[in-house]
Amino acid sequence: MKKLIIIILVLLILSLGCSPIYYSPNTQNVPLISAKGEKNVSVNAGSSNANSLFNSVSVFDMQGSYGLTNSLAIQLNAGFFNVTKNERGGGGNGKLFETAIGYYVPVNKHFLFETYALLGYGNFKSIVSGPASNTINENISGSLMRYGIQPDFGYKSKNISLAVSTRLLKLNYFDVSGNLTYEGENQVDYLTQNSSYLLFEPALTLRAGWKPMKFQLQLGNSYNLTNVSFRQGKTFFTVGIHLNFL
């Protein structure tokens, strides 16, 4: 009986670990710009969990921002995502490139408010193998566009910064192709017919260090308001280095 339970658990873990993932949140770029000419650069790495405990996506981000005027700022962001291959070749990867323009206003010496309009383009590929797939190494790939707004409110000092932010996003898929059937459903047909999703992504960002370099921690969550069961990364956690120049 013990052996049977162990076998069932192993098969369950393998099945969950091989499920496809179509989206993962990246680190939110929360620069807390307070003056014209201010520049921020950050590099972050972390992960987000998907629909099960055993599914996770590794995330690597490079981000930059610049104060164009006394109230306008721009961003450039790049995110790279990876699901580690298993012994049978199942895994996945993706990329997202994003630009943003926004408005910022200092509330007082230390507190400020920002809001950004975001536009991003990317792609994904997921390869499924093992018990969760009818055949070995079925795959699905496609392109995506993501756009929305990101307001944030933060505290900023010489050694510490703290901010709360949220993204409200529209996620659209197109040019989907492949041969993946998962849980009895053709995933290319599914993603083609269900190509649009609304996402709500709150986050907390903490920075500590010295001027101009601080260490950054960010914790957040991606809520799919269209389909709570959508196969995507949800809770995300990243760490990195943030550089600020005036």
Side-chain angles (χ1 to χ4, degrees):
M1 186 67 176
K2 237 186 226 186
K3 286 184 180 178
L4 179 60
I5 292 173
I6 291 172
I7 291 171
I8 291 172
L9 286 173
V10 169
L11 290 175
L12 178 61
I13 290 171
L14 288 173
S15 175
L16 290 171
C18 292
S19 62
I21 302 173
Y22 301 135
Y23 171 78
S24 176
N26 61 322
T27 305
Q28 296 188 16
N29 189 349
V30 186
L32 298 179
I33 288 179
S34 56
K36 177 181 178 180
E38 183 174 344
K39 298 172 282 294
N40 293 272
V41 177
S42 64
V43 178
N44 307 280
S47 66
S48 65
N49 74 302
N51 291 54
S52 75
L53 175 65
F54 308 101
N55 248 4
S56 65
V57 183
S58 298
V59 181
F60 176 76
D61 297 291
M62 296 182 293
Q63 302 177 330
S65 61
Y66 179 72
L68 282 176
T69 71
N70 289 325
S71 58
L72 293 178
I74 57 172
Q75 294 185 12
L76 290 176
N77 307 313
F80 303 90
F81 311 91
N82 184 67
V83 177
T84 304
K85 284 187 177 182
N86 61 26
E87 66 278 4
R88 298 182 64 184
N93 58 73
K95 296 184 288 289
L96 177 70
F97 301 99
E98 184 176 60
T99 185
I101 186 166
Y103 171 80
Y104 69 92
V105 54
V107 177
N108 57 32
K109 182 180 178 181
H110 292 294
F111 289 92
L112 57 95
F113 172 79
E114 302 173 298
T115 186
Y116 291 91
L118 310 169
L119 177 63
Y121 170 83
N123 57 53
F124 76 95
K125 183 174 184 179
S126 187
I127 303 170
V128 175
S129 64
S133 178
N134 293 332
T135 59
I136 295 175
N137 291 349
E138 292 184 342
N139 68 84
I140 183 171
S141 61
S143 300
L144 61 89
M145 182 166 286
R146 196 184 76 172
Y147 57 91
I149 59 170
Q150 178 192 294
D152 64 71
F153 181 77
Y155 170 87
K156 180 179 179 181
S157 69
K158 181 179 179 180
N159 300 113
I160 294 176
S161 296
L162 178 67
V164 290
S165 59
T166 189
R167 289 187 298 217
L168 185 61
L169 302 167
K170 191 70 177 294
L171 177 65
N172 293 322
Y173 291 90
F174 56 98
D175 293 339
V176 181
S177 62
N179 64 344
L180 176 62
T181 298
Y182 185 77
E183 294 185 342
E185 186 172 23
N186 184 303
Q187 294 297 291
V188 175
D189 290 345
Y190 170 78
L191 207 53
T192 301
Q193 295 165 12
N194 301 274
S195 60
S196 183
Y197 299 89
L198 185 63
L199 305 175
F200 175 66
E201 298 182 345
L204 175 67
T205 304
L206 173 65
R207 299 186 187 115
W210 310 268
K211 192 173 179 63
M213 186 183 81
K214 292 182 175 66
F215 296 99
Q216 175 176 297
L217 302 176
Q218 187 176 100
L219 176 66
N221 202 88
S222 178
Y223 297 94
N224 193 310
L225 303 181
T226 304
N227 180 3
V228 295
S229 300
F230 188 64
R231 301 189 181 282
Q232 66 166 79
K234 295 182 179 178
T235 301
F236 61 95
F237 176 77
T238 61
V239 297
I241 295 175
H242 181 88
L243 303 176
N244 172 265
F245 306 96
L246 275 175

